[in-house]
């Protein structure tokens, strides 16, 4: 019984965090999609994880063409439009 209570509490905590992560992601996406600046986000291994609506409008590349794709492959295919880049931290 004690173990069942523990896992029940753990499951509720996970659901709570998933809800907040999802809500914060939606807020992030909504905010970024309404910015006048183009935003392109890639993971540390170069996988594209997000581009905002302004990026797609300025570059002519759809989200479907780049999300999940590696930035180096996209660049080789000449699909990237250089705008402004920042060095990694």
């Amino acid at each position: 019984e004690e173990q069942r209570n523990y896992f029940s509490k753990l499951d509720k905590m996970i659901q709570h965090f998933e809800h907040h992560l999802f809500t914060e992601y939606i807020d992030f996406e909504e905010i970024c999609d309404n910015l006048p600046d183009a935003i392109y986000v890639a993971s540390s291994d170069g996988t594209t994880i997000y581009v905002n609506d302004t990026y797609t409008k300025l570059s002519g590349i759809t989200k479907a063409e780049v999300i999940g794709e590696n930035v180096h492959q996209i660049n080789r295919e000449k699909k990237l439009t250089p705008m402004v880049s920042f060095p990694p931290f």
Side-chain angles (χ1 to χ4, degrees):
E1 182 66 29
E2 186 177 324
Q3 188 177 15
R4 188 177 314 157
N5 287 338
Y6 171 79
F7 285 112
S8 177
K9 287 179 183 178
L10 186 60
D11 186 51
K12 287 178 184 176
M13 287 175 55
I14 291 170
Q15 289 176 9
H16 174 77
F17 287 123
E18 285 177 341
H19 171 75
H20 285 287
L21 286 172
F22 181 72
T23 303
E24 289 174 17
Y25 177 77
I26 289 174
D27 292 343
F28 168 80
E29 190 173 12
E30 184 177 339
I31 291 166
C32 290
D33 280 341
N34 289 292
L35 291 174
D37 300 313
I39 298 175
Y40 181 102
V41 181
S43 66
S44 60
D45 69 353
T47 302
T48 307
I49 56 176
Y50 177 77
V51 293
N52 70 345
D53 289 344
T54 304
Y55 185 88
T56 63
K57 289 173 189 168
L58 294 175
S59 69
I61 301 170
T62 67
K63 290 182 181 188
E65 290 178 281
V66 294
I67 301 296
E69 299 296 321
N70 187 278
V71 65
H72 302 294
Q73 180 63 32
I74 296 166
N75 194 37
R76 279 193 291 276
E77 294 173 2
K78 307 288 188 226
K79 290 183 181 177
L80 282 183
T81 305
M83 292 175 208
V84 176
S85 61
F86 297 94
F89 295 98

